[in-house]
Amino acid sequence: MVRTPLTPEERARGERLGALLRDARGGRSMAEVAIEAGISAETLRKIETGRAPTPAFFTVAALARALELSLDAIEEACGAAPLSAAS
């Protein structure tokens, strides 16, 4: 199966998500958070580094629970950038 290439906005959104998760994780190990979220440490590493910029909703929800983040806070920090006004 061939994936459609990601747009620059999708890549940027993935980078924002990764940064938010790294910050929220703080001093906790990647393995600890991954186990609590029910995902592999490799999956978390890929999300945090932007190599998996479009994780499944249930993965994001599990990470939000493990990191005590609200889905609203994640959407606010990582959602689509506002459209620029036409000149």
Side-chain angles (χ1 to χ4, degrees), residues 3 7-8 14 21-22 32 34 38-39 51 53-54 56-57 59 64 66 73-74 79 86:
R3 281 191 153 189
T7 65
L21 296 176
R22 275 191 309 277
E32 176 186 349
I39 63 172
R51 287 188 52 226
T54 57
F57 172 78
T59 300
I74 292 173

Side-chain angles (χ1 to χ4, degrees), residues 57-73:
F57 172 78
F58 292 104
T59 300
V60 175
L63 286 166
R65 180 185 43 77
L67 294 169
E68 298 181 1
L69 291 170
S70 73
L71 291 174
D72 287 336

Side-chain angles (χ1 to χ4, degrees), residues 22-42:
R22 275 191 309 277
D23 289 345
R25 186 164 53 84
R28 294 171 67 189
S29 75
M30 195 175 284
E32 176 186 349
V33 171
I35 288 168
E36 190 172 336
I39 63 172
S40 71
E42 178 66 12

Side-chain angles (χ1 to χ4, degrees), residues 13 16-17 20 60 70-81:
R13 188 173 53 235
R16 290 191 303 270
L17 175 61
L20 176 69
V60 175
S70 73
L71 291 174
D72 287 336
I74 292 173
E75 194 281 326
E76 185 176 310
C78 305

Side-chain angles (χ1 to χ4, degrees), residues 45 47 59 73 77 83 87:
R45 185 183 65 75
I47 295 168
T59 300
L83 297 174
S87 302

